[in-house]
Structure formats: C-alpha cells, structure tokens
Amino acid sequence: MPIAEVDVKYASYRQDAALADVRRGQNGDLGDRQYRFGDQYLIIADDIEWDSVAERARDIGVGLTDPKSLPDDSKVYLVRQKGRLFEKAFPAAQIVHNGGRFLAVSLSEQEYERVSQHDSICFEISPMPDSGVVFERRVHRSARREASAWVRALVDMVSADEYQAVLERLVSFPTRHSMSEHYHSAVKLCKELLSNLGYETRLQEVPIGSQVASNVIAEKSGGLSERKLVIAMAHLDSINIQGNSDSTAPGADDNGSGSAAIIEIARVLQDHVPEHDLQLILLGGEELGLFGSKHYVSVLDDADKARLLAAVNMDMIASSNLNPPTVLIEAGDQAILDELATAADMFTTLHVETSLNPFASDHVPFIDAGLPAALTIEGADSQNDNIHTEHDTLVHINAGLAREIIRMNVGFITGKLGKAH
Ligand SMILES: [Zn+2]
C-alpha cells in the first residue's frame, strides 16, 4: 500500500525579546521544528500534530497565525541574502517566513538543486539550523558596568560630520569596481588618508583571475613586548550587478559606509597608544567573491593567526530601515557576539540582533579559518533594494546610524587594544 502524503503545516508567532528570555524553556513544547527569527518564531509541524501545537500555544499565551500548508513534496530551507537579491533572482519561490536577510523558503528537491547550483555571491541556501536559532533579538539593557574614562573619551570622539565628509569623497568615484581604474584611485586616496593620520600603510596585491586588485593595510604598533593583534576591516569595492566594471556604482551603503568608518576609526585612534597591535584594512574584490579577505587570511602567518584577538568587519552600516535603529552582529562564536552586544549597550542606544549563521562578507574567510571574527551590519530586516545598483547613493545614507555602529566598534576595539602606561 502506498504511504499517504503527510500534510505539513506552518505558522508563526511573535514574542517580545524580554518575554522570550523568560519563556525560552517552555517554547520547546511547540515542537522540535521551531525557528527563531529575532522576535518572530516559525513553527512547522505535521498536520496530525497541529491540534496539540495550537493547544500548547494557547496555554503559554502566544497567538499563532492561521496555519498554512506546505506544497506537497517540499521542504523548508534557510536562505541568507544580501538586500533582496534572492527574492529578485527567484521571484516564484514560496517564502514561508521573511526575516529580511534571512528567509525560510519552501522548495521541492528539484528546486533546491536548481537554487543551490545557481552561482551567486548574493545569497546562500542551506538546511534550517539544528539549533532552531536563525538570529536573536536582544533587549537593549542599560550598561551593567561603567566604561573606563579613556575608552569613553575615544568613543565620544566619533563624529558623524567627519565620517560624512570621507564618505562623500568615496562616493564621488563613478565606481569602485575592483577591475576599474577608479578602484585604484580610491585605494590611493585611502592609503594617503591613513598615512596622513600617522599609520604605517602598505598595499597587498590580491590576484583576481589574470588581474590584480589591492587591499590597503594600515598598522599601529602597541607598547607591550608580547603583543596581540586586533583588526577592523571593510571592503572598499562596489559593484553594479546589471553592468560591467565601468558601470555607475557609487556604493554609498555597500560599502562606502564601512570604508569611511575605517577612516573615522583611524582618525579617532590616531593619538592613542595601545598595548596591542591594530590593523585597519580596506579590502578589494569582496563583491567578486571575497577575494581580498580570502587572500589576506591565506597569507597570514601562523604567529599572527595565534595572536589575533578579533577581526571586526563593517559592511552596509548606514542605511536605516528599522525602527528602533538596530545592528546585526554575525560571528562564528558566542563570546565575540556577547562582547560586541555589551559594547552596544554601553556606548549606544542601538538594539542588537545576533546570529551564528555568518554569510557573504569578509568575516567569513576568517571564521572558516577558525579565527575570531564578526560582521557588524544594519539590522536583519534590511529593505535595501538599492545595493549593487546605481541607486546606492548618499540620499539613502544615515550618518547618525553609522556613528552609533562605529561607537560600538570603537568601544569594543579599544577594550581589546588596551592603553599603554
Ligand atoms: Zn558589501
């Protein structure tokens, strides 16, 4: 006898982060296919289990949406996308839950094959995470401890005006595509800005096929004899996905926003004498497949790998789509997430989302090599449809949001670097 098709249903509910902390233990009762997207939860269960799921939901006081059926023979997968680029590439895909950067989509086996073979650096597909946590939204807490006065003084030096002035210069290049002449002009400008701020600077050649792009590396040495290493980085290149290397690609948010932040951090720390070493890195070739960061990690020697305390990446930090303003922190391990979230609580009013599902930016090659790294980016519900087009311009930039994310990162970085004497 043929086995009957199992009808699978899904629904979602919302729960405040504050309540979620209290009820975390109880929610498991809603079944083992429960996935957290910030303060939204997606529940998937066979039809036969659904009555008890609904009853338990009533018992613990959460309101489920009306359940919907998954198409026959389909399964739910996790998609991580930049902007809305998966939705643009596969407009017919059935979205079961939309968490912005993170989607749950239902696909047949064949569709899954087709999507996973699609050669794209704009999205990635995988099974849903075993942990059930796609990303968490934390409650903003007033800081539990005071920052050192010298750390706070440095954090308070971060200026939206100084930041905006540098960003305007970066966006004035017609493109910063890694294969364009303009990229090399942007590299030259940034190297000069960093040198003028007193950093040792050098270019690192990044082979991309038969061509070469560059990473800009600026260094400040610490005062201790045995020194650790702290890295802040951002990709300098931009892209117009519809065009070629000469097409207009101002890349204001992606990623003039992170690049200008590197220069601003350099300015803020110019007179600071740390205990440990600092590297500020502008990477090339990110939009073509993380070439700059892959190359940097591949030539990093074992001694530097062993002494690396943290590498913080900034990508798309100035487009404000969420209210309240929110930063998403992605990392490979919980410790670095918690430290950055604490810095957000201490130095900003930002709300914090965290994810252990790192994707599609320069922190990934570090994490893949087992190194401590994190991405800081505007919150996960990004509505940014302008990235990778000629519309990624200053009009959509919120320097105040960027300032908050830079304050968080300066607090985190200086805590790691220490202060000599
Ligand atoms: Zn980017």
Side-chain angles (χ1 to χ4, degrees):
M1 217 168 73
I3 301 168
E5 277 296 334
V6 181
D7 189 24
V8 181
K9 287 195 160 68
Y10 65 91
S12 56
Y13 68 93
R14 186 191 177 87
Q15 188 167 80
D16 275 347
L19 285 173
D21 284 347
V22 176
R23 290 179 171 160
R24 189 171 286 162
Q26 298 177 31
N27 289 352
D29 297 354
L30 293 181
D32 52 7
R33 281 179 288 171
Q34 176 171 225
Y35 302 100
R36 183 169 185 185
F37 291 74
D39 55 9
Q40 306 267 351
Y41 291 76
L42 169 68
I43 312 276
I44 303 169
D46 293 347
D47 193 25
I48 194 165
E49 304 165 303
W50 200 262
D51 282 349
S52 67
V53 167
E55 198 179 305
R56 285 296 301 142
R58 273 194 302 276
D59 285 352
I60 62 172
V62 298
L64 285 182
T65 56
D66 286 340
K68 293 189 181 137
S69 292
L70 286 180
D72 288 348
D73 294 325
S74 75
K75 269 170 69 176
V76 177
Y77 298 92
L78 179 66
V79 168
R80 288 160 285 174
Q81 64 175 352
K82 288 188 179 180
R84 300 272 173 200
L85 296 174
F86 172 81
E87 290 159 83
K88 283 186 181 168
F90 290 93
Q94 185 177 336
I95 295 170
V96 167
H97 186 87
N98 195 330
R101 182 171 169 87
F102 304 94
L103 306 171
V105 295
S106 102
L107 299 169
S108 68
E109 196 122 337
Q110 284 157 321
E111 289 169 324
Y112 172 69
E113 286 301 311
R114 201 162 59 85
V115 171
S116 46
Q117 277 160 23
H118 186 91
D119 182 26
S120 175
I121 51 164
C122 303
F123 56 83
E124 255 173 37
I125 188 159
S126 63
M128 296 299 289
D130 288 338
S131 68
V133 180
V134 177
F135 67 93
E136 290 191 76
R137 183 162 292 159
R138 302 184 178 210
V139 191
H140 185 86
R141 294 172 215 276
S142 41
R144 280 144 289 180
R145 59 187 169 87
E146 276 292 302
S148 316
W150 66 268
V151 172
R152 184 158 291 280
L154 289 169
V155 168
D156 285 342
M157 280 175 67
V158 176
S159 154
D161 289 343
E162 296 278 351
Y163 170 80
Q164 178 89 19
V166 172
L167 182 56
E168 282 173 15
R169 294 183 75 177
L170 295 177
V171 172
S172 69
F173 294 100
T175 177
R176 296 186 310 279
H177 192 288
S178 302
M179 299 290 98
S180 71
E181 270 308 304
H182 299 297
Y183 180 74
H184 294 283
S185 308
V187 160
K188 204 170 150 240
L189 168 67
C190 291
K191 184 173 186 291
E192 208 172 279
L193 292 173
L194 291 162
S195 299
N196 291 345
L197 289 166
Y199 292 79
E200 283 292 325
T201 58
R202 63 191 162 95
L203 299 187
Q204 179 179 53
E205 289 196 347
V206 179
I208 304 178
S210 58
Q211 305 196 52
V212 175
S214 309
N215 293 334
V216 184
I217 302 176
E219 295 181 84
K220 179 196 276 281
S221 296
L224 293 181
S225 52
E226 296 241 328
R227 300 188 299 274
K228 305 282 189 188
L229 174 63
V230 180
I231 293 174
M233 61 188 170
H235 74 86
L236 179 59
D237 63 317
S238 66
I239 197 166
N240 182 331
I241 209 82
Q242 312 288 332
N244 55 36
S245 59
D246 295 323
S247 304
T248 304
D253 190 34
D254 191 8
N255 184 33
S257 69
S259 301
I262 290 292
I263 308 289
E264 179 59 3
I265 291 172
R267 188 189 69 81
V268 165
L269 297 184
Q270 62 180 320
D271 296 323
H272 178 65
V273 184
E275 291 181 308
H276 299 291
D277 293 348
L278 169 67
Q279 282 192 7
L280 300 170
I281 310 177
L282 290 163
L283 297 152
E286 193 267 357
E287 300 290 8
L288 304 176
L290 312 182
F291 283 93
S293 50
K294 282 178 182 164
H295 181 75
Y296 178 88
V297 170
S298 76
V299 300
L300 193 64
D301 64 37
D302 288 345
D304 279 345
K305 282 181 181 161
R307 73 189 188 102
L308 180 62
L309 284 179
V312 181
N313 180 22
M314 293 174 284
D315 199 352
M316 299 170 64
I317 62 165
S319 163
S320 178
N321 299 301
L322 283 179
N323 194 7
T326 302
V327 62
L328 168 66
I329 306 165
E330 279 187 11
D333 68 279
Q334 191 68 41
I336 195 165
L337 287 185
D338 291 341
E339 287 178 55
L340 278 160
T342 300
D345 286 347
M346 289 174 88
F347 303 113
T348 78
T349 57
L350 291 170
H351 285 231
V352 175
E353 296 172 338
T354 60
S355 172
L356 291 168
N357 297 291
F359 160 67
S361 189
D362 291 312
H363 56 314
V364 173
F366 285 78
I367 292 168
D368 286 349
L371 300 170
L375 168 68
T376 57
I377 186 171
E378 194 250 352
D381 286 325
S382 172
Q383 306 273 337
N384 193 343
D385 268 337
N386 302 310
I387 62 160
H388 299 181
T389 75
E390 75 237 60
H391 305 298
D392 184 3
T393 59
L394 289 171
V395 174
H396 309 288
I397 291 296
N398 180 335
L401 170 68
R403 175 174 170 270
E404 288 278 89
I405 294 178
I406 299 167
R407 284 175 61 93
M408 171 186 81
N409 285 336
V410 167
F412 172 81
I413 290 166
T414 51
K416 294 271 180 218
L417 284 174
K419 182 177 188 285
H421 316 300

